[in-house]
Amino acid sequence: MHLLIDIGNSTVVVALTTDGGNVDKTWRFKTIKDQTMAYYRHELYTGSKKYQINFADITKVVISSVVPEVNDDIAQAISDLTGVTPLFFNIEHAKRFMTFDVESPSQVGKDRLADSIGAICCYGTPAIIIDMGTATTVSVIDEDRRFLGGMIIPGTKTSLAALSNRASQLPSITIEHPHNVIGKNTLENMHSGIVYGTAAMIDGIIEKIIAEMQGSETGKSPKIIGTGGMAKTIMPYCQHDIIVDDHLIFKGLNIACSTSLGVEMTA
């Protein structure tokens, strides 16, 4: 079994996969930069007990991280629990699957790279990948497997928290499905605004990206893949046909770092 870990700005998500690459179980806990190794070891251990995972069965651990401050603590916790030294996913793994048409490939977030590999290998190219986490990131891959760049946008929950914090008469709310586009009270206005507003933004971004891609090349329409914590909440309200894949990053990590599954770029 393989243990795949996505260290994000808000949460650490852990996935257990079989040798065939299928995601079997997942759990998550908070990313806390100033916590000690004991915290991460406790969270990993608690998750393993809840989902009846025997750490002795783990043969490989792969980590994608956008929070370098916690890397050493999590790596030590993993090593203590499993006896396996984790492999940190990096740009060199990604270069086996794509080329880059950006100024600094090494600065592209590891989560976006893993998402892109998952999209390339599972859905094909060209592709637009929208990952809705603490930040909403948009990554664009052309038909020739070139990473063209994309966007980084404040995430849905991040935007909502900023609104509630800065506007004294607006409460903190949980994001729920709105009953109508036109809200009849403050809560309905906020629910509609964050859900329909974010969905409309995503639709508009997709249209602009497709137009820009069509202006520079000819070929098939891109696959649009959504992932991240807010994808299932927001993307049903989008007008475009978007594939929602909760496990896209783990598929990418497993493919990129598995010699049995890795498919390298052809010359």
Side-chain angles (χ1 to χ4, degrees), residues 16-25 254:
L16 184 74
T17 70
T18 62
D19 287 337
N22 297 317
V23 175
D24 186 28
K25 300 177 177 70
N254 200 58

Side-chain angles (χ1 to χ4, degrees), residues 10 19 25 41 98 122-123 133 148 166 178 213 220:
S10 299
D19 287 337
K25 300 177 177 70
R41 183 170 56 192
M98 69 187 91
C122 298
Y123 300 103
L148 301 180
R166 296 298 295 264
M213 293 178 75
K220 53 189 177 181

Side-chain angles (χ1 to χ4, degrees), residues 139-216:
S139 302
V140 183
I141 312 293
D142 74 4
E143 197 165 354
D144 298 321
R145 291 187 171 188
R146 287 186 302 165
F147 184 95
L148 301 180
M151 297 181 180
I152 301 175
I153 308 159
T156 308
K157 289 183 178 180
T158 303
S159 297
L160 186 59
L163 178 65
S164 298
N165 289 336
R166 296 298 295 264
S168 59
Q169 292 188 311
L170 296 182
S172 297
I173 64 168
T174 57
I175 298 175
E176 300 176 2
H177 296 292
H179 298 294
N180 302 289
V181 176
I182 304 172
K184 299 299 184 182
N185 54 52
T186 299
L187 291 180
E188 288 184 0
N189 274 252
M190 293 178 72
H191 287 144
S192 178
I194 197 66
V195 173
Y196 282 110
T198 304
M201 176 194 71
I202 289 171
D203 279 326
I205 286 169
I206 291 169
E207 290 293 335
K208 289 184 178 296
I209 289 173
I210 291 174
E212 190 166 306
M213 293 178 75
Q214 289 175 342
S216 61

Side-chain angles (χ1 to χ4, degrees), residues 244-265:
V244 177
D245 188 337
D246 290 339
H247 299 148
L248 187 66
I249 189 170
F250 297 120
K251 292 176 181 178
L253 287 176
N254 200 58
I255 292 168
C257 299
S258 173
T259 54
S260 61
L261 294 177
V263 180
E264 297 193 15
M265 290 279 293

Side-chain angles (χ1 to χ4, degrees), residues 130 202-203 206 224-227 235 238-244:
I130 303 164
I202 289 171
D203 279 326
I206 291 169
I224 306 167
I225 306 104
T227 191
M235 288 179 175
C238 294
Q239 295 182 357
H240 286 83
D241 184 14
I242 302 175
I243 302 164
V244 177

Side-chain angles (χ1 to χ4, degrees), residues 1 24 26 48 70 94-95 100 108 116 132 149 156 170 175 207 211 218 221 230 232 238 257 260:
M1 291 184 177
D24 186 28
T26 65
S48 73
V70 306
K95 285 180 178 179
F100 292 86
V108 179
S116 297
M132 304 189 70
T156 308
L170 296 182
I175 298 175
E207 290 293 335
T218 59
S221 298
M230 292 304 301
K232 283 188 174 178
C238 294
C257 299
S260 61

Side-chain angles (χ1 to χ4, degrees), residues 62-120:
V62 181
I63 298 175
S64 165
S65 175
V66 296
V67 190
E69 296 92 332
V70 306
N71 287 357
D72 289 344
D73 287 333
I74 290 184
Q76 185 60 57
I78 286 291
S79 181
D80 288 351
L81 291 169
T82 68
V84 176
T85 300
L87 172 67
F88 278 88
F89 171 73
N90 60 49
I91 186 68
E92 297 305 318
H93 296 112
K95 285 180 178 179
R96 298 169 55 214
F97 298 85
M98 69 187 91
T99 58
F100 292 86
D101 186 13
V102 296
E103 290 183 1
S104 300
S106 61
Q107 293 183 3
V108 179
K110 307 302 186 300
D111 51 348
R112 297 176 70 184
L113 297 177
D115 282 342
S116 297
I117 294 170
I120 289 169

